[in-house]
Amino acid sequence: MSDPAATSTDDAIHIEKLYEFGERLSESKDKSQNVKDYQGIMDAAKTSIKAKQLAAQLIPRFFKFFPELSSQAVETQIDLIEQEELGVRVQAIRGLPLFCKDTPEYLSKIVDILVQLLAAEEIVERDAVLKALMSLLRQDVKASLSALFKHIGTVEEPSTDELIREKVLSFVRDKVFPLKAELLRPQQEMERHITDLIKKSSEDVTGAEFTMFMDFLKKLSIFGDKAPSERMKELVGIIEGQADLDSAFDVTHVSDTDHIDRLISCLYMALPFFLRGASSSRFLNYLNKHIIPVFDKLPEERKLDLLKALAEISPFTLPQDSRQVLPSVVQLLKKYMPRRKSGEEMNFTYVECLLYVFHHLAHKAPNATNSLCGYKIVTGQPSDRLGEDFSEFYTDLIERLSNVEDLTRATMRKLTQGMTEHNKAMAAAKSDDAKDSIKTQKQNTTTGLRTCNNILAMAKPLHAKTPLFIGDKSINLSWKEVAKPSVPSTTVSAGGKRPAATTNGSGNMAKKGRGAGGLQNQLVNRALEGISYGGRGSLRGRGWGGRGRGRSFR
């Protein structure tokens, strides 16, 4: 059994020796000559607890003066970090940033050590790790970020430790991103650097991680309000990569449910950048080539999500893309606008979406509708095809439009009657639960009325042989917030002022919904018998459950 008195004496000797080594090193004008003192400090790091704590401070302090002992010094500090005594570990962690202060070549290695410690269980130890990492970021933000992002991984060099990867992502999200104004200096250079790191890492991320990255990028000054359209195109390019637009869509394969979820979420994520000048061409062409042809085979809830997304991007299409996609949209319209006496139910939300898409695409390429719908729009171009007879298409379209209008008016009568009943029920309701339930039904009915008003407003101008397609913001989609009143636009496709009947007449009944671009559940309560409103809409940004192309994005 060891003698406590002897142990205490030994501790005192070790501490006294360490102070002597430290004093001589501090006073020496040519510290490189004090190799024995520095070696003595490292040897003392293998003795008592107090000596280990003091050595953990001294080893990094004089590290830069003894390059020939650098490997041994770092290894000794790592040994101290692995000690059982918490105080020793914390002191050793605190000393790590000093290894890089004058020897930046060690920064990447020190970051690697620290990220392994992010999973520490003791709070005081974890705090020391976080402070050490922040210290390194302030010393050399570029090298520190590069070292951190290596642990997030890329497709070419994936992270090998999932726990550490998650810890690093949390650190970047919680500590780095909020301090971007302080840390990313010089601003332009460092914002570009972190953007490049994120672009590489975003190739292999979950949906939540990708959303986090995009939310951060769009707040950078290089992508701010004054950024050129090329920067918006860059952001859309990142989103296009996540949407996997280079891969074919296999509707028979179970994992492609994940693909469609990802595609829809990415469409909504890209929408603000389309508003700022980026092109929607790749998304639109992918939908036209891979998704619309198999639309019937998609799960019901994905159909509604997809049509809503398509409606929201349609105002931002280019004329050549509009001309290319219009035939597919017309085919879908024919499918979901039933003829008279066909006995088919009509999905009102589908029709609202498709009419909205049709108007905006036709506004960009009006004469493309001549051969698709039998219209007689003259632009003077050979593509007018005025010498050909497409009258049967026009007759078919008018029959379908008239039936849609009749069904819509009948539905509006039911919805209006339902609203009256809801108001009576609200007046009689006693409990808060009952009132909340009725309030939800009233909101759904209001949204249904808005849908019906939109359908009538968009169907009416399509009866003309030379219709004026709606290409402005006069129609507010039923699931979006009601826009504040503004001066009506007179934008039309064939010149002249659009008839007042084409404006959205449902604004006075609208209530605030989830917000622009949000996806709702069923449009109107299924209790309204005889009215088909399609499948359940899934929440936008549902979050992709797995990381990597082949994993589930549920």
Side-chain angles (χ1 to χ4, degrees):
M1 187 173 179
S2 60
D3 183 354
T7 302
S8 178
T9 302
D10 290 342
D11 285 351
I13 293 171
H14 294 315
I15 295 297
E16 186 178 350
K17 279 286 187 183
L18 280 168
Y19 277 119
E20 289 177 7
F21 297 147
E23 287 174 6
R24 280 200 294 269
L25 281 165
S26 295
E27 294 169 0
S28 175
K29 293 182 179 179
D30 184 4
K31 294 177 175 50
S32 62
Q33 300 301 310
N34 295 68
V35 175
K36 289 184 179 179
D37 292 325
Y38 194 65
Q39 183 66 56
I41 293 172
M42 290 190 287
D43 292 340
K46 299 178 176 63
T47 59
S48 67
I49 292 175
K50 290 183 179 179
K52 290 175 181 177
Q53 287 180 289
L54 183 54
Q57 299 176 54
L58 296 174
I59 291 172
R61 184 182 301 173
F62 300 108
F63 174 74
K64 65 179 180 180
F65 301 109
F66 304 98
E68 71 278 8
L69 297 176
S70 59
S71 295
Q72 183 184 350
V74 172
E75 289 302 317
T76 301
Q77 195 79 0
I78 292 173
D79 288 342
L80 293 172
I81 291 169
E82 294 174 344
Q83 294 295 305
E84 290 185 7
E85 297 82 7
L86 178 61
V88 175
R89 298 203 305 272
V90 169
Q91 195 62 62
I93 290 167
R94 288 172 179 168
L96 286 176
L98 292 174
F99 282 98
C100 316
K101 194 168 184 179
D102 297 291
T103 49
E105 63 271 19
Y106 278 91
L107 189 142
S108 180
K109 181 177 179 63
I110 299 303
V111 170
D112 288 347
I113 294 169
L114 286 168
V115 298
Q116 301 298 321
L117 299 171
L118 282 170
E121 294 181 1
E122 297 288 345
I123 294 176
V124 65
E125 185 175 6
R126 201 160 57 242
D127 285 347
V129 173
L130 295 176
K131 289 177 181 177
L133 283 170
M134 293 305 297
S135 176
L136 291 175
L137 281 163
R138 291 185 172 96
Q139 284 182 35
D140 189 336
V141 64
K142 186 173 185 178
S144 297
L145 285 173
S146 297
L148 282 169
F149 270 81
K150 285 180 182 177
H151 293 274
I152 297 173
T154 64
V155 170
E156 290 77 19
E157 298 180 21
S159 172
T160 56
D161 189 321
E162 200 66 23
L163 175 62
I164 294 302
R165 179 183 179 277
E166 291 175 5
K167 294 294 183 183
V168 172
L169 276 167
S170 296
F171 173 76
V172 169
R173 180 193 65 217
D174 299 335
K175 301 297 182 181
V176 178
F177 286 176
L179 294 177
K180 64 181 186 299
E182 174 191 341
L183 295 175
L184 300 182
R185 298 289 179 185
Q187 188 178 52
Q188 292 283 317
E189 179 186 346
M190 287 302 103
E191 286 189 354
R192 171 48 55 193
H193 179 62
I194 198 169
T195 298
D196 291 341
L197 292 173
I198 287 173
K199 285 167 73 171
K200 291 178 181 178
S201 292
S202 65
E203 296 171 356
D204 187 21
V205 289
T206 67
E209 292 163 1
F210 186 70
T211 301
M212 175 192 74
F213 281 146
M214 291 307 302
D215 285 346
F216 172 73
L217 288 179
K218 65 187 182 185
K219 293 174 184 175
L220 295 179
S221 66
I222 61 173
F223 300 112
D225 293 338
K226 297 180 181 179
S229 60
E230 288 73 21
R231 298 274 172 82
M232 299 305 103
K233 292 175 185 176
E234 181 180 0
L235 291 178
V236 169
I238 298 171
I239 298 170
E240 287 171 347
Q242 185 63 205
D244 210 7
L245 300 184
D246 293 324
S247 298
F249 180 77
D250 181 6
V251 74
T252 63
H253 197 276
V254 67
S255 68
D256 271 1
T257 299
D258 159 63
H259 192 171
I260 195 72
D261 287 345
R262 182 181 353 193
L263 178 64
I264 292 167
S265 292
C266 288
L267 271 169
Y268 277 104
M269 203 176 291
L271 188 59
F273 311 122
F274 298 151
L275 282 162
R276 295 176 60 188
S279 170
S280 63
S281 292
R282 286 199 68 203
F283 275 109
L284 197 64
N285 290 329
Y286 188 87
L287 290 171
N288 189 47
K289 181 179 179 181
H290 295 285
I291 307 300
I292 295 178
V294 296
F295 186 78
D296 286 345
K297 297 179 181 179
L298 296 178
E300 202 63 34
E301 64 270 21
R302 304 304 196 280
K303 291 180 182 179
L304 183 56
D305 290 358
L306 185 67
L307 288 179
K308 286 183 174 182
L310 183 59
E312 295 213 37
I313 70 166
S314 62
F316 312 106
T317 56
L318 298 174
Q320 60 267 31
D321 297 327
S322 299
R323 187 176 297 276
Q324 187 175 355
V325 178
L326 265 170
S328 300
V329 172
V330 170
Q331 288 303 311
L332 284 178
L333 265 174
K334 288 181 177 179
K335 177 173 178 59
Y336 290 104
M337 294 199 311
R339 288 193 180 95
R340 290 190 187 281
K341 300 179 181 179
S342 67
E344 299 174 16
E345 281 192 336
M346 190 176 88
N347 188 308
F348 289 80
T349 317
Y350 284 18
V351 173
E352 178 194 13
C353 291
L354 288 167
L355 283 174
Y356 189 87
V357 173
F358 177 75
H359 269 283
H360 279 278
L361 298 188
H363 175 77
K364 303 286 180 62
N367 69 346
T369 63
N370 290 352
S371 60
L372 296 171
C373 306
Y375 290 137
K376 296 291 184 182
I377 295 171
V378 179
T379 65
Q381 300 298 317
S383 53
D384 290 347
R385 301 177 68 178
L386 296 175
E388 301 177 58
D389 182 12
F390 299 109
S391 57
E392 64 178 294
F393 295 158
Y394 178 75
T395 302
D396 178 68
L397 177 64
I398 298 305
E399 179 187 346
R400 294 176 187 275
L401 283 171
S402 298
N403 188 43
V404 163
E405 289 168 317
D406 289 345
L407 290 171
T408 302
R409 291 188 186 100
T411 298
M412 289 184 74
R413 288 192 291 271
K414 290 184 179 181
L415 289 169
T416 303
Q417 181 182 354
M419 183 65 79
T420 301
E421 294 170 358
H422 295 328
N423 289 335
K424 291 178 182 178
M426 180 65 81
K430 303 296 183 183
S431 69
D432 289 342
D433 287 345
K435 290 178 181 179
D436 288 343
S437 176
I438 296 167
K439 184 179 178 181
T440 300
Q441 292 177 52
K442 287 181 67 175
Q443 289 173 337
N444 287 339
T445 301
T446 298
T447 307
L449 286 167
R450 292 178 63 191
T451 295
C452 292
N453 273 309
N454 282 345
I455 290 172
L456 293 177
M458 291 186 285
K460 184 174 181 178
L462 299 181
H463 286 268
K465 274 284 187 179
T466 56
L468 299 177
F469 301 113
I470 300 169
D472 60 9
K473 298 178 180 179
S474 61
I475 297 293
N476 192 57
L477 291 164
S478 62
W479 61 89
K480 299 185 69 175
E481 278 188 17
V482 181
K484 293 181 180 179
S486 59
V487 178
S489 169
T490 57
T491 304
V492 293
S493 61
K497 189 174 182 179
R498 183 168 56 254
T502 63
T503 59
N504 185 355
S506 62
N508 61 336
M509 294 186 294
K511 293 187 179 181
K512 187 172 181 180
R514 282 191 176 168
L519 296 181
Q520 292 177 294
N521 289 343
Q522 284 183 318
L523 182 59
V524 174
N525 196 316
R526 290 291 297 185
L528 293 168
E529 294 298 331
I531 305 174
S532 172
Y533 287 102
R536 174 179 54 81
S538 64
L539 293 175
R540 177 164 64 90
R542 70 183 70 220
W544 304 312
R547 184 162 63 89
R549 297 272 189 242
R551 304 185 196 177
S552 171
F553 266 52
R554 289 180 306 219

